[in-house]
Amino acid sequence: MDFLDRRLKIPLTNRTTTVKYALVHTAYWVLITGFFLYEKRYLLYKAGLPYFAACVIIRVVLLIAIAYLNIHYFLPRYLLTGRYWRYFSLVILSILGYLFVQTVYDFVIYGFIIAPTRNRDWVETLSYNFFSTLWYLGLMVPLKLSIDWYEQQRTLQKIAVEKLQAEVNFLRSQVNPHFLFNILNNLYALTLKKSDLAPDMVLKLSEMMEYMLYDSDDAKVPLEKEIGYLQNYIELEKIRCGDQSDIALKINGKPNGQEIAPLLLLPLVENAFKHGVGRQSENSWLHGTLTLNSTAIEMTVENNKPASATEAPKGGIGLTNLRKRLELLYPGRYSLQTEERSDTYRAALSIQFAD
């Protein structure tokens, strides 16, 4: 767990908070205290250190008390539940309590300790304390709401990532049973014929299973492994479909040590087989182009559609799931476009690598 996300128990309560939350609030009150130290520094010379320290401590402690009473009690119980009059009434009452204590202390300081300011204006004192308190409370509320909103967004994103990863893991655990069923049937037929293609088919299937069971658990994998998995998938599908299908993948460029999230390229090809080649017995085709450079990867897959297209069978990772993963993993650095015509379907994916 990240150090900033560690939980800390709040003294004298049953509540906990994060290290990050505590650091932000500590920094805020250090700044407030520093401001009062600077503003009241003249008391150090006129009233002495004890009265100077007491003035600052009383003011800051009272502000902290009403600030956290507001954000941890009044705010969630009344403002966020729509009981606005109750909320504002309690805020005003808490400020009046602060004004009473602070103004009495100010009167003692300025009326008896510092003789030259004995006739200090009460209206001025009350006005200053009231509006300064509103100002600091007004800063604390948006600070808390901003932190809560940020943490909520982080939590929602974490839940979305975990949910999506669970979906990918489930789909990976299925290993596309329809695909495996067809491959094993073809492998059985090849072994009966004692075909030289059988050992190569077993090797490619073994490499695919190894990648899916082990490598694809990682957050990122070497790009060459992802491409190798894709090539094995296409080669096995070519064997399954036979000579009546035109299936080709052209690769421009070479991997330059880049890493990519696993199973991002397969959905484009898998979708093409599901919607096109896999649903036609002859005259089917699938053409893919993969372009690699040091900053990006681009892939296009185009296939013909059967003359009487019906609803595509369900299964596989799918383009919908792919788009969700891209939005979470490569926000602002990807493009996924699809184009469907009467007889063809085209999908294009582009991912920009981080600098």
Side-chain angles (χ1 to χ4, degrees):
M1 180 185 294
D2 190 346
F3 171 75
L4 294 178
D5 292 325
R6 290 180 58 185
R7 306 295 301 183
L8 299 175
K9 188 176 185 304
I10 300 176
L12 306 178
T13 70
N14 294 323
R15 300 179 67 254
T16 62
T17 186
T18 62
V19 173
K20 183 189 300 181
Y21 186 92
L23 288 176
V24 171
H25 282 251
T26 300
Y28 175 81
W29 289 113
V30 167
L31 288 174
I32 296 303
T33 304
F35 172 77
F36 283 130
L37 288 172
Y38 178 78
E39 183 189 35
K40 302 295 183 182
R41 67 190 184 281
Y42 64 89
L43 288 178
L44 185 61
Y45 307 104
K46 292 189 176 184
L49 180 60
Y51 290 106
F52 167 73
C55 179
V56 174
I57 291 172
I58 289 175
R59 188 177 293 272
V60 173
V61 169
L62 287 174
L63 281 175
I64 290 176
I66 65 172
Y68 288 105
L69 183 65
N70 179 35
I71 64 177
H72 290 305
Y73 185 77
F74 298 158
L75 190 70
R77 177 163 295 192
Y78 300 110
L79 182 63
L80 298 183
T81 57
R83 291 183 282 181
Y84 304 115
W85 284 110
R86 179 72 61 86
Y87 170 74
F88 288 112
S89 298
L90 289 172
V91 169
I92 295 299
L93 285 175
S94 66
I95 293 176
L96 290 176
Y98 166 81
L99 288 177
F100 175 77
V101 177
Q102 186 61 53
T103 303
V104 168
Y105 186 80
D106 286 347
F107 179 75
V108 171
I109 285 286
Y110 297 110
F112 295 97
I113 306 302
I114 305 177
T117 57
R118 176 180 294 274
N119 296 323
R120 183 176 177 88
D121 189 351
W122 275 75
V123 175
E124 180 184 347
T125 301
L126 287 171
S127 176
Y128 170 81
N129 288 332
F130 180 79
F131 287 107
S132 65
T133 308
L134 279 182
W135 170 253
Y136 295 118
L137 281 180
L139 287 177
M140 281 298 295
V141 171
L143 177 64
K144 173 179 170 53
L145 293 178
S146 298
I147 294 175
D148 289 350
W149 178 86
Y150 173 75
E151 292 298 332
Q152 184 183 46
Q153 294 304 307
R154 284 191 61 195
T155 301
L156 291 175
Q157 185 179 35
K158 183 179 178 181
I159 292 172
V161 171
E162 291 176 350
K163 178 177 180 293
L164 191 56
Q165 188 59 47
E167 293 175 358
V168 174
N169 290 339
F170 172 72
L171 293 165
R172 185 175 66 234
S173 68
Q174 291 181 313
V175 196
N176 199 338
H178 182 67
F179 167 76
L180 281 179
F181 178 76
N182 287 327
I183 293 299
L184 291 174
N185 273 341
N186 282 284
L187 180 59
Y188 175 72
L190 291 174
T191 55
L192 288 178
K193 298 177 182 179
K194 295 182 172 31
S195 171
D196 293 338
L197 294 175
D200 185 55
M201 194 173 189
V202 171
L203 179 61
K204 293 183 184 300
L205 184 58
S206 174
E207 290 174 350
M208 287 184 63
M209 295 295 295
E210 180 182 9
Y211 180 81
M212 295 194 73
L213 293 175
Y214 301 107
D215 294 328
S216 62
D217 279 332
D218 299 331
K220 288 188 177 182
V221 297
L223 182 56
E224 55 265 28
K225 283 193 174 184
E226 177 78 0
I227 295 174
Y229 175 80
L230 184 66
Q231 290 175 314
N232 283 336
Y233 180 89
I234 291 175
E235 289 300 318
L236 291 177
E237 285 284 14
K238 286 172 69 174
I239 295 174
R240 182 179 70 84
C241 294
D243 298 333
Q244 67 270 26
S245 298
D246 175 18
I247 301 172
L249 174 65
K250 181 181 179 181
I251 299 179
N252 300 319
K254 295 182 179 180
N256 295 299
Q258 299 99 328
E259 291 186 326
I260 191 172
L263 303 177
L264 284 183
L265 302 181
L266 176 65
L268 273 68
V269 175
E270 186 185 47
N271 186 71
F273 278 108
K274 282 179 164 301
H275 288 228
V277 179
R279 304 175 65 196
Q280 302 176 75
S281 58
E282 57 184 15
N283 298 325
S284 59
W285 56 268
L286 183 155
H287 297 157
T289 302
L290 184 60
T291 302
L292 311 173
N293 58 57
S294 60
T295 61
I297 178 173
E298 298 179 358
M299 183 174 181
T300 59
V301 177
E302 189 170 4
N303 62 279
N304 66 331
K305 295 165 54 180
S308 55
T310 58
E311 183 182 355
K314 296 181 180 179
I317 294 176
L319 295 184
T320 300
N321 189 281
L322 172 62
R323 194 179 297 277
K324 292 179 183 178
R325 293 186 67 205
L326 289 168
E327 187 60 35
L328 289 170
L329 298 171
Y330 299 94
R333 295 191 288 124
Y334 81 94
S335 171
L336 178 59
Q337 299 178 341
T338 59
E339 179 183 4
E340 185 171 8
R341 298 179 180 177
S342 58
D343 57 347
T344 61
Y345 188 89
R346 182 178 183 274
L349 170 65
S350 173
I351 299 176
Q352 299 288 328
F353 295 114
D355 295 333

